[in-house]
Amino acid sequence: MNKKTICKAASIVLILLMLTGCSSISENPNESYSVTVYAMDTVMELTVYGNQTILNTAESLIFELDSKLSVTNAESDIYKVNHEGGGTICSEAYELLNQALELCKRTDGALDVSIYPVVEAWGFTTDEYRVPTDDELHELLRSVDHNSVDISKNGRVELAPGMMIDLGSVAKGYTANRLVKLLSENGVKSALLNLGGNVHVLGTKPDGALWKIAVADPAGDGYVGVIEAADKAIVTSGEYERFFEQDGVRYHHIIDPATGHPADNGFLSVTIVGNDGVLCDALSTALFVMGSDKAAEFWKESDDFEAIFIASDEIMVTEGLEDAFSPIGAYNDMKLTILHRD
Ligand code: ADP
Ligand code: MG
């Protein structure tokens, strides 16, 4: 080894030492690291304790899932299946579609991954909003039927003619599940993931305290209240998230598959709290569509989630969240009903 090579080797060791030194200083378990990611048509904020480097991997995973699950990206398998009537899809899309179809059945079609042609007709996919005619909606609804999405051949999807599928109602929940898995496998014990309306908390805060998650006010800029939680997905769907107005009428992006119109069954927003991101994402959309009577009944027959339903004059909270949820501001004065199972 000549002198130059030794010097070079020594400086590499020095750089490595500095890098290791840096990472052991910066990777304090009580120190938080955050990144903002714009993906899936929303702003995402990831806050992780004790591991800064994992944020790069997390960000790449989000972009990867965004392009794989997107219904508008011409390179995605979902897009290809929609335009070719069927085909093979990647394992992520298959896994999610499989779970989503089970939830379509469980919610009796209040969630329907084949509602896409109707969502498209209202212009929610392009932001070129319009109110379709009843005849047009009637025609489009003929091809909406989650039961006709065939995934019986492993890895393949077959669609009936005219049918298109969209995983937009569950993609953020799936992404949150995958991020939690990635972080846990890398030793992260504490994280707050906010994927635009889909919150997922890993563990507690480093000091053992529960996370405090604010529920957005569907009728204004503030908050309805705060939920205290650990290791939970907390997902809200509301008509305030995406909408347009025409002739004084507001049309929002959650479609009732029974009518083809924006769901109008009395809720301003629905928040679901549970362990699984996909379940919570699917049910926040589906129970919003169901409206209060059916949603309360659905919850009573289930044991894998809790909910907060916001109507214009009442907040309904399922019994499992009675202690975890506190209304704030003007919502302190609103009627609050605790739903019980018996
Ligand atoms: P967001 O994406 O705003 O958080 P949701 O998770 O409730 O809201 O998903 C709404 C999206 O799902 C809509 O933008 C639309 O693409 C699609 N969608 C609308 N209605 C339904 C429905 N009944 N079933 C399945 N997907 C739906
Ligand atoms: Mg949803």
Side-chain angles (χ1 to χ4, degrees), residues 263-299:
D264 183 19
N265 297 317
F267 286 151
L268 299 181
S269 77
V270 171
T271 299
I272 304 288
V273 181
N275 294 328
D276 180 49
V278 174
L279 176 93
C280 294
D281 204 0
L283 295 187
S284 68
T285 308
L287 272 61
F288 184 90
V289 169
M290 288 180 196
S292 64
D293 294 346
K294 280 193 195 162
E297 213 34 59
F298 185 90
W299 167 76

Side-chain angles (χ1 to χ4, degrees), residues 3 66 76 103 110 114 121-122 156 165 183 186 195-196 205 209 251 255 257-259 265 271 275 284 298 302 306 338:
K3 204 173 160 193
D66 189 5
S76 82
L103 288 156
S114 67
W122 285 93
R156 275 190 70 83
I165 53 170
L183 297 176
N186 283 275
L195 314 187
K205 288 190 197 173
Y251 300 95
I255 305 295
T259 64
N265 297 317
T271 299
N275 294 328
S284 68
F298 185 90
S302 309
E306 300 293 336
I338 306 293

Side-chain angles (χ1 to χ4, degrees), residues 109-116 119 124-125 166 168-170 172 196-198 235-238 241-242 253-257 281 284-285 289:
L111 181 81
D112 194 319
V113 291
S114 67
I115 194 71
Y116 186 68
V119 174
F124 286 111
T125 52
D166 165 26
S169 61
V170 284
K172 285 184 283 175
N198 278 59
V235 182
T236 301
S237 283
E241 284 182 64
R242 190 167 303 174
H253 73 313
I254 302 177
I255 305 295
D256 184 344
D281 204 0
S284 68
T285 308
V289 169

Side-chain angles (χ1 to χ4, degrees), residues 98-164:
N98 192 17
Q99 194 182 350
L101 285 172
E102 277 170 26
L103 288 156
C104 293
K105 288 193 177 68
R106 184 174 155 188
T107 59
D108 201 17
L111 181 81
D112 194 319
V113 291
S114 67
I115 194 71
Y116 186 68
V118 178
V119 174
E120 202 176 33
W122 285 93
F124 286 111
T125 52
T126 52
D127 293 350
E128 285 164 24
Y129 303 121
R130 56 187 276 276
V131 180
T133 64
D134 283 345
D135 283 350
E136 190 183 351
L137 289 175
H138 185 75
E139 192 53 35
L140 290 172
L141 283 173
R142 283 156 51 102
S143 57
V144 173
D145 178 14
H146 60 93
N147 286 309
S148 307
V149 180
D150 179 2
I151 54 163
S152 60
K153 291 191 205 81
N154 208 14
R156 275 190 70 83
V157 184
E158 306 294 346
L159 301 179
M163 185 175 250
M164 289 192 182

Side-chain angles (χ1 to χ4, degrees), residues 8-315:
K8 215 171 159 188
S11 62
I12 289 171
V13 172
L14 192 66
I15 291 170
L16 283 176
L17 281 175
M18 281 167 57
L19 284 176
T20 355
C22 278
S23 72
S24 67
I25 292 168
S26 68
E27 309 226 327
N28 173 341
N30 295 321
E31 187 97 24
S32 72
Y33 306 96
S34 295
V35 65
T36 304
V37 183
Y38 185 77
M40 300 186 175
D41 235 359
T42 194
V43 181
M44 305 185 172
E45 289 273 347
L46 316 182
T47 301
V48 163
Y49 282 80
N51 190 333
Q52 183 167 30
T53 43
I54 199 67
L55 286 177
N56 287 328
T57 321
E59 194 173 0
S60 306
L61 176 62
I62 291 173
F63 290 137
E64 184 194 332
L65 292 175
D66 189 5
S67 66
K68 282 184 168 170
L69 302 175
S70 162
V71 67
T72 49
N73 168 15
E75 298 300 309
S76 82
D77 293 340
I78 298 291
Y79 184 96
K80 286 179 190 156
V81 161
N82 282 342
H83 291 83
E84 290 164 17
T88 308
I89 57 174
C90 63
S91 59
E92 291 89 346
Y94 190 85
E95 182 188 12
L96 179 54
L97 179 59
N98 192 17
Q99 194 182 350
L101 285 172
E102 277 170 26
L103 288 156
C104 293
K105 288 193 177 68
R106 184 174 155 188
T107 59
D108 201 17
L111 181 81
D112 194 319
V113 291
S114 67
I115 194 71
Y116 186 68
V118 178
V119 174
E120 202 176 33
W122 285 93
F124 286 111
T125 52
T126 52
D127 293 350
E128 285 164 24
Y129 303 121
R130 56 187 276 276
V131 180
T133 64
D134 283 345
D135 283 350
E136 190 183 351
L137 289 175
H138 185 75
E139 192 53 35
L140 290 172
L141 283 173
R142 283 156 51 102
S143 57
V144 173
D145 178 14
H146 60 93
N147 286 309
S148 307
V149 180
D150 179 2
I151 54 163
S152 60
K153 291 191 205 81
N154 208 14
R156 275 190 70 83
V157 184
E158 306 294 346
L159 301 179
M163 185 175 250
M164 289 192 182
I165 53 170
D166 165 26
L167 298 172
S169 61
V170 284
K172 285 184 283 175
Y174 179 74
T175 304
N177 280 353
R178 290 287 304 273
L179 288 170
V180 165
K181 185 163 181 276
L182 170 77
L183 297 176
S184 306
E185 284 171 357
N186 283 275
V188 174
K189 302 263 182 296
S190 233
L192 171 65
L193 313 174
N194 184 353
L195 314 187
N198 278 59
V199 174
H200 208 127
V201 291
L202 170 61
T204 60
K205 288 190 197 173
D207 64 2
L210 295 172
W211 299 99
K212 288 191 169 73
I213 313 301
V215 179
D217 180 356
D221 291 334
Y223 298 99
V224 173
V226 173
I227 300 173
E228 291 195 290
D231 280 316
K232 285 284 180 287
I234 298 138
V235 182
T236 301
S237 283
E239 57 167 58
Y240 61 95
E241 284 182 64
R242 190 167 303 174
F243 63 85
F244 69 96
E245 272 170 6
Q246 191 174 303
D247 301 328
V249 182
R250 185 192 268 217
Y251 300 95
H252 63 79
H253 73 313
I254 302 177
I255 305 295
D256 184 344
T259 64
H261 283 267
D264 183 19
N265 297 317
F267 286 151
L268 299 181
S269 77
V270 171
T271 299
I272 304 288
V273 181
N275 294 328
D276 180 49
V278 174
L279 176 93
C280 294
D281 204 0
L283 295 187
S284 68
T285 308
L287 272 61
F288 184 90
V289 169
M290 288 180 196
S292 64
D293 294 346
K294 280 193 195 162
E297 213 34 59
F298 185 90
W299 167 76
K300 282 183 189 165
E301 289 164 4
S302 309
D303 63 0
D304 49 1
F305 71 94
E306 300 293 336
I308 298 171
F309 305 114
I310 313 287
S312 59
D313 55 356
E314 186 180 8
I315 307 176

